[in-house]
Every structure is written in C-alpha cells, then in structure tokens.
Amino acid sequence: MEKYTNTQKAAILLLSVGPDVSAGIMKNLDEKEIEAITKEITSLRKVTSNVKDQIMKEFHQLAVDANLVSYGGIDIATDLLKRTFGPDKAAGFLKRMDGSADDKPFKFIQNVEQMQIFNLLQYENAQTIALVLSYLDPEKAAATLSAFPSERQIEIAMRIAMMDTASPIIVQQVEEVLEEKLNMTSSQMHDAQNGIDSIVSILSSVDRGTEKNILDTLQEEEPELANEIKQRMFVFDDIAYLDNRSIQRILMDVQNQDLPLALRAASQGVKDTIFRNISKRREESLMEELSSTEPVRLKDVEDAQGRIVSVIRKLEEEGTIIISRNGAKDLVF
C-alpha cells in the first residue's frame, strides 16, 4: 500500500465512513485538525477500495488498543481471549484468574520507588496510568501523579474519576505487561476500585498547587464531576463554610506563620470566616501583614494553605471534628 501521512489517512477514513459519521467525528476535532484534514480531502484523487480497507483496519486496531482498559466486562474479555488464544487456552486462563481473585493487582509496584513508578508509566496512555494509580496507596499515587506535567495530570485525574469497574482479565493483562517491563514477579487480581474514591484519596495527598490545578480544570471541563469530587473532600476554600466553633478549634493547631501566608490568596469569604474567630488584636495584626506589598511566591502560599487543610483533615481523622459529606458545606463537633 502506498505510504500516507496520518492526516491523509484521517481524510481517507472520513471519506470512507460517509458524511453523517464524518460530521460527528469532525465536531470533536480542533480548528487546526479540521483545517489540515479538509485540505487533504480536497487534494485527494482516486483512492482504491483496498487502501480504504487497510486504513479502516488500521483505525480499528488503534481504537481497540486505545480503549482496551476503558471498556470491558467479563463477557467482552472472555470473547477477546477466545478470539486471541482459542477456547481451550481461554478457559485455562479464566480458571487461573478465578483462583487468584483475592490478590491485589499491581502489588509489585507498592514497594517500588516513586520515580521508578513514574518512569514505568510515563509513556503509557492516560487510561493505563489511571488504572494503575487507582490501585496504589494514595500517598504513592499522589507523588506519581505530581511528577507528570500539569496537562497530563488533568487528563489522568479525569480518567481516574470517570473510571468504571474494569474487567479482572483486562487488569491482569496490563499488570503482566508492566511486570515484564519492570522485570519483576508479582500478584494478580482484586475488585476494581471506584474512580471517585481513588481520585479523592489521591487529591487529598497531593500538594495544594496540583490539587487546585486539577480541580479548577475539572470545574471548567466536567463541572458535575468536579462538584462530586469536592463534596467528598475538604479543600481550602471550604473554610468559608465552617461554623465558628470549628474554626476556633482548627486555629489552635495552625502554625502562626501559615495563617497570614495562606490568606494572601484566600477568597474574601475565607478571610471573613477567619476574622470572625480571632481577637481584635490578632485581626489588626493579620490585616497589617496582608496589606504588605512585599511579594511572596505563589508556591509558598499554596503550601501554607495545604498545611492548614492537612490540620483540618487530621482533626477529622482523629474524630475531633466531623466534616459533612452530604453536599452541605458545614462542619460540626
């Protein structure tokens, strides 16, 4: 078959599937992609049916590879195994899978250094990374997520949050590939975790900058998903919704240097809540510090906010305070 560029292949694919399907695909492309593909469509001459068939097959294989982990279920996975290995080998594989259901997937990664995990995953697609992180300890998953560029952090976080139950067979296939890459032996399967639970645990452990970046972008792109995540975790801006007694208890454990730094980039609602619960003298001192024109690094502000949120989460874990998780932004003893 004559060699074609990816853009030319895309143009031929759109011509092959018909105008209605092509229109639906084009809606999901950006302006530059549409312009490039349209240019190729206008310049195409005769394309043989053999070329069209080959490109359709290539596209189908890419789609299968890209979505192998995204879609599944035991029936689909069983059919995939039968088609790949035949019914006898597929049956043996499924039997071995059933016998290992109590073992947690990706157990071999739990004791691996965070940077090794990042190196192992950095060239994988976002869905594979999301699957692996959803099984890791939240602290290790958070450190790994933070190592990715901000654009990929958002993509991976969205994949985790939107993840449904993955077939145990598909999970094992991913695990085996990664085990081989890392040249290790390990364990196998476990029930898939809920995506929202996973991303809440991870975001609760990342630094404030990473957390804010992901949540802000999710709010723009997937507002319902972002709101559901926020309802299940406590973020710095939620301080504005806390009652006075809770604020007073929290301030007892907050470091003196963290409060003025954290309030530098706080909303007016958060500031008002804090000011209501401190002495007049301390309020005047805080106001004086906040009015300072001396610049501070945004990272230092976000770190201070993160430490205050850690205090609140720690008090909740200890049972000293209780954060409502029903969507009503309140905190009670």
Side-chain angles (χ1 to χ4, degrees), residues 78-96:
T78 300
D79 181 64
L80 175 64
L81 285 175
K82 287 180 179 178
R83 289 173 182 271
T84 306
F85 303 110
D88 293 337
K89 287 187 178 181
F93 190 76
L94 288 168
K95 185 176 181 180
R96 290 196 300 275

Side-chain angles (χ1 to χ4, degrees), residues 94-242:
L94 288 168
K95 185 176 181 180
R96 290 196 300 275
M97 290 291 300
D98 290 339
S100 59
D102 292 333
D103 293 330
K104 186 176 181 180
F106 306 106
K107 184 178 179 181
F108 70 100
I109 296 181
Q110 299 292 352
N111 296 321
V112 175
E113 291 293 329
Q114 178 268 319
M115 188 50 65
Q116 285 182 277
I117 298 176
F118 171 73
N119 290 334
L120 179 68
L121 298 177
Q122 62 176 323
Y123 298 116
E124 299 293 333
N125 63 55
Q127 186 66 31
T128 298
I129 298 169
L131 178 67
V132 176
L133 294 188
S134 71
Y135 282 102
L136 290 182
D137 294 333
E139 183 177 348
K140 184 159 288 186
T144 304
L145 180 62
S146 298
F148 284 92
S150 59
E151 295 82 4
R152 293 217 75 195
Q153 289 176 9
I154 296 162
E155 182 184 10
I156 294 164
M158 288 179 65
R159 292 282 189 168
I160 295 173
M162 299 174 70
M163 186 181 297
D164 201 350
T165 300
S167 163
I169 296 174
I170 301 302
V171 176
Q172 170 134 6
Q173 289 176 335
V174 175
E175 184 181 25
E176 288 179 347
V177 170
L178 294 179
E179 280 182 320
E180 186 174 347
K181 286 177 67 175
L182 201 59
N183 194 26
M184 294 177 66
T185 58
S186 182
S187 186
Q188 298 171 346
M189 291 296 106
H190 195 36
D191 293 334
Q193 293 181 325
N194 179 275
I196 297 292
D197 289 340
S198 297
I199 194 59
V200 166
S201 297
I202 293 172
L203 288 180
S204 296
S205 301
V206 298
D207 61 88
R208 168 67 175 162
T210 300
E211 173 194 285
K212 189 174 186 302
N213 178 42
I214 290 173
L215 287 178
D216 286 351
T217 304
L218 279 177
Q219 189 65 53
E220 293 180 6
E221 299 183 5
E222 297 285 344
E224 291 184 8
L225 179 62
N227 290 334
E228 185 175 356
I229 293 172
K230 287 179 179 179
Q231 287 176 8
R232 298 176 63 174
M233 66 181 296
F234 190 93
V235 296
F236 184 78
D237 290 341
D238 289 338
I239 290 174
Y241 300 99
L242 304 186

Side-chain angles (χ1 to χ4, degrees), residues 1 4 12 16 45-54:
M1 184 178 75
Y4 292 90
I12 293 170
S16 302
R45 295 294 180 262
K46 183 178 179 181
V47 180
T48 66
S49 58
N50 182 56
V51 169
K52 290 182 180 180
D53 290 341
Q54 288 297 322

Side-chain angles (χ1 to χ4, degrees), residues 192-326:
Q193 293 181 325
N194 179 275
I196 297 292
D197 289 340
S198 297
I199 194 59
V200 166
S201 297
I202 293 172
L203 288 180
S204 296
S205 301
V206 298
D207 61 88
R208 168 67 175 162
T210 300
E211 173 194 285
K212 189 174 186 302
N213 178 42
I214 290 173
L215 287 178
D216 286 351
T217 304
L218 279 177
Q219 189 65 53
E220 293 180 6
E221 299 183 5
E222 297 285 344
E224 291 184 8
L225 179 62
N227 290 334
E228 185 175 356
I229 293 172
K230 287 179 179 179
Q231 287 176 8
R232 298 176 63 174
M233 66 181 296
F234 190 93
V235 296
F236 184 78
D237 290 341
D238 289 338
I239 290 174
Y241 300 99
L242 304 186
D243 65 88
N244 294 337
R245 289 195 303 163
S246 302
I247 291 292
Q248 292 163 19
R249 176 61 186 87
I250 291 163
L251 288 175
M252 292 171 60
D253 290 358
V254 172
Q255 297 294 321
N256 289 334
Q257 67 270 23
D258 281 341
L259 191 57
L261 192 56
L263 292 181
R264 280 291 190 101
S267 67
Q268 191 59 47
V270 171
K271 292 178 182 177
D272 291 343
T273 301
I274 297 296
F275 292 153
R276 282 200 309 267
N277 290 280
I278 58 178
S279 67
K280 192 67 176 176
R281 182 177 179 180
R282 191 177 184 190
E283 180 182 350
E284 291 174 354
S285 175
L286 265 178
M287 291 292 288
E288 184 178 346
E289 291 187 68
L290 291 176
S291 64
S292 171
T293 58
E294 183 180 350
V296 294
R297 292 194 310 163
L298 179 60
K299 185 179 186 306
D300 292 337
V301 174
E302 291 174 339
D303 287 347
Q305 291 179 348
R307 287 191 290 271
I308 291 175
V309 170
S310 295
V311 168
I312 296 172
R313 290 172 178 161
K314 182 173 181 291
L315 289 173
E316 183 198 18
E317 290 173 3
E318 293 173 348
T320 305
I321 57 177
I322 300 172
I323 300 177
S324 173
R325 302 298 187 188
N326 61 3

